[in-house]
Amino acid sequence: MKTISKSEKSVSENVVDLLKITFCRLIIERANVSFRHQSMSFKSGDNTHPLEIRENEVEKSWRQTVSVISKSANSNIILQPRILLCDARNLSMKLEQNHYTCVITSPPYPNRMSYIRELRPYMYWLKYLTNARDAGELDWKAIGGTWGCATSNVGKWKPEYDLKIPYDDFYDILNKIAQTSDLLSRYVHKYFYDMVQHCRELFSVVKPGGDIHYIVGNSKFYDIMLPVECIFASIFKSVGFVNISIHTIRKRTSKKELYEFLVSAQKPE
């Protein structure tokens, strides 16, 4: 009976992980949705059921995907990557102070689209989730999460500290939304309450002279526009960033008033 060494076991586990990634990528590519994105609507004019795909087409896609991922896995790693588990509202607990020269990210949009809900199948297959309760609790930890138990938690949420959102019309917007839905008003309030905490921590870890670039999308609740890009710009300014700019990137595929924006800023030298 052959004894498997630790190195052989590690290689085997890595191969299994890569095959799981291949499987997730394949089902996203073969999904009958727009832009190959799990949160988008079904393709218009396409009545073909996702399961009605020839077996040889799936096999061909599988082989192509395995090839692409295999080549990527064999490429040289120029800089050893680090993965840090950290709450975005408490960055200084894990990240170095005054260290990072550039931050590029796209946080969840305040539109009640739950990434945890949409990505549950992949997260179960990859063993990040084991039951439905896990999904709801993870979404509650995320900024902007509202699925499962997170929804009831949002409905009861109140600010822990007297932390103001530094945008002139913000509280008027909240009151207007609350006239139709108290839950959504609390949701929007909590989203930016969390983002203020995040931006304060962000300022502490960015190096003087460093740049930040945030891709964000505006939202609309009951004909009430939420100028997300302007609110982010106000928050950046309030925590100390300068040279703030807003650039419209593209129109989104939902309501006609909704766009994506690049909000950039710099930490003073």
Side-chain angles (χ1 to χ4, degrees):
M1 182 176 178
K2 182 181 178 182
T3 302
I4 301 176
S5 66
K6 288 185 177 180
S7 61
E8 288 177 320
K9 184 177 181 181
S10 177
V11 170
S12 176
E13 290 174 346
N14 288 339
V15 170
V16 170
D17 287 342
L18 290 174
L19 290 175
K20 288 179 179 179
I21 293 171
T22 301
F23 177 66
C24 291
R25 178 167 172 171
L26 177 66
I27 60 176
I28 291 174
E29 290 182 350
R30 306 304 295 188
N32 190 39
V33 293
S34 300
F35 304 106
R36 293 179 179 174
H37 192 294
Q38 82 287 344
S39 67
M40 303 304 292
S41 59
F42 286 102
K43 295 177 182 176
S44 59
D46 188 349
N47 296 319
T48 304
H49 192 278
L51 297 178
E52 295 174 2
I53 302 172
R54 293 185 212 171
E55 185 176 340
N56 61 340
E57 291 180 358
V58 175
E59 181 181 351
K60 182 180 178 180
S61 295
W62 170 265
R63 292 183 181 277
Q64 290 175 341
T65 305
V66 168
S67 177
V68 169
I69 291 178
S70 176
K71 289 179 181 178
S72 299
N74 281 298
S75 62
N76 292 327
I77 300 176
I78 300 174
L79 180 66
Q80 187 66 32
R82 290 192 303 160
I83 300 175
L84 302 175
L85 178 59
C86 180
D87 191 320
R89 290 155 290 207
N90 295 291
L91 296 174
S92 58
M93 292 183 66
K94 289 286 185 73
L95 304 183
E96 299 176 56
Q97 298 282 304
N98 301 306
H99 179 74
Y100 300 92
T101 58
C102 185
V103 176
I104 302 173
T105 187
S106 179
Y109 299 170
N111 58 6
R112 287 207 71 193
M113 205 290 280
S114 168
Y115 288 94
I116 300 301
R117 177 184 179 277
E118 301 296 337
L119 293 172
R120 279 178 300 156
Y122 316 118
M123 297 186 76
Y124 282 121
W125 291 323
L126 296 175
K127 306 300 182 184
Y128 289 111
L129 297 175
T130 58
N131 58 67
R133 182 73 185 184
D134 288 345
E137 290 179 351
L138 182 59
D139 213 19
W140 175 240
K141 294 178 181 178
I143 296 178
T146 64
W147 188 79
C149 63
T151 299
S152 58
N153 289 341
V154 169
K156 297 177 289 187
W157 177 82
K158 292 181 180 180
E160 185 177 357
Y161 307 106
D162 185 22
L163 188 158
K164 301 296 183 184
I165 313 303
Y167 182 73
D168 289 343
D169 297 330
F170 183 76
Y171 294 96
D172 287 338
I173 293 172
L174 285 187
N175 290 332
K176 290 177 182 177
I177 296 174
Q179 291 176 15
T180 305
S181 173
D182 179 68
L183 175 65
L184 288 181
S185 178
R186 290 175 187 268
Y187 164 76
V188 172
H189 191 180
K190 184 179 187 301
Y191 176 91
F192 285 105
Y193 179 91
D194 288 342
M195 280 300 178
V196 169
Q197 295 182 75
H198 162 69
C199 291
R200 287 178 174 179
E201 290 284 295
L202 177 69
F203 187 83
S204 72
V205 300
V206 171
K207 186 176 182 178
D211 301 311
I212 62 170
H213 305 279
Y214 276 53
I215 305 294
V216 301
N218 60 354
S219 299
K220 188 176 182 181
F221 296 95
Y222 309 109
D223 293 326
I224 302 163
M225 287 299 302
L226 185 64
V228 175
E229 72 285 3
C230 297
I231 300 174
F232 264 95
S234 296
I235 295 173
F236 289 158
K237 181 179 179 180
S238 73
V239 299
F241 288 106
V242 297
N243 300 330
I244 300 165
S245 63
I246 300 174
H247 298 286
T248 304
I249 297 178
R250 71 178 181 95
K251 188 182 183 307
R252 282 146 68 192
T253 57
S254 46
K255 298 176 182 178
K256 64 180 181 180
E257 305 93 338
L258 300 188
Y259 289 81
E260 285 182 333
F261 303 88
L262 171 62
V263 185
S264 301
Q266 185 179 48
K267 185 171 179 176
E269 293 278 3

